[in-house]
Amino acid sequence: TLSCLQDMGELAGMFPDLVQGSSSGVSWTLKMLDLSLNWGLKMASPGSLQGLRVEILNLRGTQLGAVAVKALGLEKLDVLYAQTATAELAAETVAHFELQGLTVERSKIGYISHEALASCRSLEILGLSGTGLTELPPGFLAAMPRLRRLDLSGNRLQITTLCRNETGDASGLTTLNLSGNGLSTLPPATFSCVPHLRELLLPYNQLLSLEGHLFQDLQQLETLNLDKNPLLNLGKSWLAALPALTTLSLLDTQILRSPDPGFWGAKSLHTLSLRLPALDAPAVLSL
């Protein structure tokens, strides 16, 4: 990391036995190949890492696009982190290696086509933070049946279309990050297709009100983060629909100014994060 590499092919010259054709005739398997913060890295000579097996490849902070990785000749790749200005989902790379994890944060994707989604069935982790998304295509989660962790933070998903799925199939998603999307309202069916969700991150949005029926499909949810939301209006017993909730974070919200904060019903809650307001009168909080 933080080096002056310009071509991934330079690695074969530095470490000749990384690739096939070495004196031993056996290629390496790397747990991680971290080339992050090589700002000048923008080339991947075809076949330069022929036969190398890599579990995690980190290309954050480089100019190398995720699509270029396909030409390196890697025998195996499980997880790829990339960060470029290229408008791509790297669907061909996902399909070629049957990637388990892909993160293309801060890339100008903006829109995901159905053709790209069709190549992403192998993904278990997908990171699309800061990629300019304004909506998700129909069947987004259904196209990735193995997906467990999804990061959509830092986009512009003003109206979430996560569960716009014609088949109505439930997703196995367990972690969802929707922080920093400017969300002001969440329709009742927002989370209807993710009943297995265990962690929901919603900080840095503009949520004003929450009702219990919004969470009625999240019977397995354990962690809920609502930091940095106004939360001026809360439905009575709005947490009663979350029987498995153990951790709740409400830092920098206006919840304590509400006549009834409404913590009743969260029977499994054991960790609550609040920032008490600087008021002359003492705050009264019923738990």
Side-chain angles (χ1 to χ4, degrees):
T1 65
L2 278 170
S3 298
C4 54
L5 290 174
Q6 297 183 24
D7 186 341
M8 283 188 68
E10 297 174 47
L11 293 172
M14 297 178 186
F15 311 102
D17 56 348
L18 275 180
V19 297
Q20 287 180 345
S22 64
S23 58
S24 64
V26 179
S27 60
W28 284 73
T29 297
L30 296 181
K31 178 74 175 178
M32 177 181 288
L33 177 54
D34 189 348
L35 300 174
S36 60
L37 304 181
N38 277 271
W39 306 112
L41 181 59
K42 56 185 177 182
M43 293 183 289
S45 296
S48 57
L49 297 180
Q50 190 69 39
L52 181 64
R53 301 167 63 88
V54 181
E55 294 185 19
I56 302 173
L57 175 59
N58 189 347
L59 296 175
R60 287 186 173 110
T62 73
Q63 300 182 55
L64 192 62
V67 172
V69 176
K70 180 182 174 183
L72 285 169
L74 295 175
E75 183 177 327
K76 172 190 174 185
L77 180 62
D78 294 334
V79 178
L80 174 62
Y81 296 94
Q83 179 184 322
T84 68
T86 307
E88 59 180 286
L89 183 60
E92 291 184 5
T93 304
V94 175
H96 179 76
F97 293 107
E98 296 188 344
L99 288 182
Q100 298 172 21
L102 173 67
T103 296
V104 285
E105 58 192 17
R106 302 179 197 175
S107 301
K108 296 179 181 179
I109 294 176
Y111 174 77
I112 300 174
S113 68
H114 291 283
E115 291 76 15
L117 276 180
S119 300
C120 295
R121 294 186 60 82
S122 62
L123 288 178
E124 299 175 10
I125 301 171
L126 178 59
L128 296 171
S129 176
T131 51
L133 291 172
T134 56
E135 64 175 355
L136 300 174
F140 177 75
L141 291 178
M144 296 174 284
R146 301 180 185 177
L147 197 65
R148 297 296 176 265
R149 301 177 63 87
L150 175 61
D151 185 355
L152 294 170
S153 62
N155 287 293
R156 300 193 301 272
L157 294 168
Q158 292 289 335
I159 300 177
T160 180
T161 53
L162 186 71
C163 291
R164 188 174 62 181
N165 179 13
E166 292 82 355
T167 65
D169 294 336
S171 167
L173 200 68
T174 59
T175 297
L176 174 60
N177 188 346
L178 287 170
S179 62
N181 271 277
L183 298 170
S184 56
T185 59
L186 294 173
T190 298
F191 305 114
S192 60
C193 64
V194 286
H196 303 291
L197 209 61
R198 295 180 180 271
E199 182 179 25
L200 177 58
L201 308 177
L202 289 165
Y204 293 95
N205 282 296
Q206 302 297 321
L207 296 172
L208 291 169
S209 61
L210 292 174
E211 297 290 341
H213 57 73
L214 173 66
F215 303 119
Q216 63 185 358
D217 297 300
L218 302 181
Q219 298 294 296
Q220 299 181 37
L221 192 70
E222 299 173 353
T223 299
L224 177 60
N225 188 320
L226 290 163
D227 296 347
K228 301 284 186 177
N229 282 281
L231 296 183
L232 295 175
N233 303 304
L234 296 170
K236 189 174 180 61
S237 299
W238 63 287
L239 291 174
L242 298 173
L245 190 69
T246 61
T247 304
L248 175 63
S249 188
L250 295 163
L251 296 175
D252 296 316
T253 67
Q254 302 295 317
I255 189 169
L256 292 184
R257 298 181 186 274
S258 173
D260 180 10
F263 290 107
W264 302 105
K267 298 179 180 180
S268 301
L269 191 67
H270 61 58
T271 302
L272 174 63
S273 299
L274 291 169
R275 193 181 309 281
L276 298 177
L279 300 175
D280 295 333
V284 177
L285 184 62
S286 296
L287 297 176

